[in-house]
Amino acid sequence: MRIWDIAWKDLKVFLRGRTRVVFSILMPIIMMLMLGFIFPKTGGSYSGNIGIYSQDLIFNSKVEKSLPASQTNKMIFYNSKQDLIDALASGKIMVGAIIPKDFSLSIALNRPVTMDVIPSPANPQAGIMMAQMLSDMFGQAGSQNIKQNIVQSNLINADGTNFNYYDFTVPGLMAMIAIMSVMTGLASAITRERELGTMDGVMVTPISRGSIVVGKILAQTIRGFVTAMIILVISWLFFGVQFSATSLLWTIFLLLLGTFSFIGVGVMVTAAMKEQETAMITMTTITFPMMFFSGVFFPIQQMPKFMQYIAYIFPLTYAADALRNVITLNVGWNFIWFDVAILAGFAIVTSLAATFTFQKLIQD
């Protein structure tokens, strides 16, 4: 048989699957449109409130007198470092600055001084740029004849360790890879079994349909969780990401919930597909754009406004946000309850829908 005959045979097999063809066309269209709109057309300037916790008794009044109202209006002063961290977790401020006790004296004596700056875990790029802006701003507020770069910013995490950009990416990566591994597993766990005929054997057993769905959800949740734990261990061993005992427990809980929240959708999609290849293409079309929309690699706050609305459709957005707060800021229930509620809602609704539609989808 000629080479072209072999190629044409495979193409005809591919074209017979309408769903496969549709999603194969949609995938590049969605990706190009998404990448074309997701990045802001202009960059380099960021706006947002600045949190200040000053250990220098005269700093606050000095800043308010020396700086114009357009700058001080964006500043919120806090009485403790914990209040500053809580404001970062709740999104009230974009960056938090901790002013040392000898700050004003050092400026007056033209002596170098360093202030600690905690970037927002939701948008660290903005925090880094605003940290440099704060150095220039506070230096000018202290004296008109200061040396250049006399005020330095030391980027730190909430626990006092040096700021690490992996603290922004790791939480989203853990949630994303857990979900991606689950989606890949579902294609083999359901569609592949359907192709081989073993699913028919399972369906005629006395096991309830709900038990079948729950069993498959549980297996894929465990698979996704183990994958996420591997990422967590690697990030701790090689990239310096730190976890307290409390944040570790919250991380485990959120990973399980985040994985569980998306599996119901995966069960319904893969159960409706008769071929594994079609299921894989469909799942990729759903999950791959979700990586970019959900703020895993690129902060949602820097996206165009209409893209931000799209981002909050995906459960991965809420999982990544909650994980960043517990890992980087070591906060608890008061600051992640909304994310947990959304994830739990996704999990319950989609799992129930998968349970009630599973038999019909398999038999169609």
Side-chain angles (χ1 to χ4, degrees):
M1 187 179 288
R2 297 176 182 177
I3 295 174
W4 173 249
D5 292 333
I6 295 293
W8 180 240
K9 176 187 71 69
D10 287 350
L11 286 172
K12 286 194 293 184
V13 171
F14 172 77
L15 292 171
R16 287 193 191 107
R18 293 182 180 179
T19 304
R20 183 168 54 220
V21 173
V22 168
F23 279 100
S24 295
I25 295 171
L26 280 177
M27 181 64 178
I29 294 174
I30 292 172
M31 288 301 299
M32 290 308 297
L33 289 175
M34 180 186 65
L35 292 175
F37 286 108
I38 197 169
F39 300 106
K41 296 295 185 289
T42 58
S45 63
Y46 297 92
S47 61
N49 290 328
I50 300 167
I52 307 290
Y53 165 51
S54 177
Q55 298 169 327
D56 187 326
L57 298 178
I58 65 173
F59 172 82
N60 293 2
S61 59
K62 196 167 185 178
V63 164
E64 290 176 349
K65 292 178 181 177
S66 304
L67 294 177
S70 60
Q71 293 179 336
T72 57
N73 287 342
K74 291 286 186 179
M75 296 181 186
I76 303 175
F77 295 92
Y78 295 95
N79 295 322
S80 69
K81 181 181 176 181
Q82 188 58 52
D83 290 341
L84 190 74
I85 292 171
D86 291 347
L88 284 166
S90 61
K92 293 179 181 178
I93 57 176
M94 186 68 69
V95 64
I98 302 174
I99 307 300
K101 293 180 180 179
D102 61 344
F103 188 87
S104 297
L105 179 61
S106 297
I107 293 293
L109 297 176
N110 237 0
R111 193 171 62 196
V113 63
T114 300
M115 62 178 177
D116 291 332
V117 177
I118 308 175
S120 166
N123 195 351
Q125 291 99 324
I128 292 169
M129 293 194 68
M130 292 178 73
Q132 183 56 50
M133 179 189 72
L134 286 174
S135 296
D136 299 336
M137 184 191 306
F138 291 159
Q140 293 169 5
S143 172
Q144 297 299 320
N145 300 308
I146 62 169
K147 299 176 183 177
Q148 275 192 327
N149 302 323
I150 193 173
V151 179
Q152 298 293 324
S153 297
N154 178 38
L155 293 170
I156 64 168
N157 295 313
D159 60 359
T161 58
N162 290 331
F163 173 77
N164 188 341
Y165 194 75
Y166 281 101
D167 290 327
F168 170 76
T169 56
V170 164
L173 280 173
M174 284 193 294
M176 180 199 75
I177 293 177
I179 290 175
M180 293 287 282
S181 66
V182 165
M183 296 303 103
T184 304
L186 282 171
S188 59
I190 295 178
T191 315
R192 181 61 176 165
E193 282 194 34
R194 191 174 182 178
E195 281 186 320
L196 295 174
T198 54
M199 182 59 72
D200 293 333
V202 174
M203 295 297 288
V204 298
T205 62
I207 302 173
S208 68
R209 303 298 173 259
S211 297
I212 295 173
V213 174
V214 172
K216 291 195 173 292
I217 288 176
L218 180 61
Q220 298 308 315
T221 300
I222 294 172
R223 173 178 172 169
F225 176 74
V226 170
T227 304
M229 286 294 100
I230 293 172
I231 300 171
L232 188 150
V233 171
I234 292 174
S235 65
W236 173 62
L237 288 176
F238 298 104
F239 300 108
V241 178
Q242 300 295 318
F243 304 90
S244 67
T246 303
S247 67
L248 183 60
L249 291 175
W250 276 118
T251 298
I252 292 172
F253 168 73
L254 289 168
L255 284 173
L256 287 170
L257 181 60
T259 305
F260 188 63
S261 68
F262 202 76
I263 289 180
V265 175
V267 169
M268 288 186 286
V269 170
T270 53
M273 304 300 163
K274 296 181 179 180
E275 299 174 352
Q276 186 175 3
E277 183 183 2
T278 304
M280 291 292 292
I281 292 173
T282 305
M283 294 308 302
T284 301
T285 305
I286 296 172
T287 57
F288 197 69
M290 185 172 61
M291 293 189 302
F292 296 93
F293 278 116
S294 300
V296 173
F297 302 109
F298 188 78
I300 294 174
Q301 289 83 350
Q302 292 179 224
M303 298 179 189
K305 200 67 177 178
F306 78 96
M307 299 290 278
Q308 294 182 30
Y309 294 130
I310 297 174
Y312 289 108
I313 296 173
F314 299 107
L316 179 57
T317 301
Y318 302 95
D321 180 64
L323 283 167
R324 284 194 188 102
N325 278 332
V326 300
I327 292 174
T328 62
L329 298 178
N330 197 26
V331 296
W333 175 255
N334 289 341
F335 297 96
I336 63 171
W337 68 266
F338 181 76
D339 293 321
V340 171
I342 294 293
L343 290 172
F346 266 107
I348 293 169
V349 171
T350 57
S351 296
L352 288 175
T355 301
F356 288 118
T357 61
F358 184 72
Q359 185 170 1
K360 183 179 183 301
L361 290 171
I362 288 291
Q363 290 175 346
D364 285 346

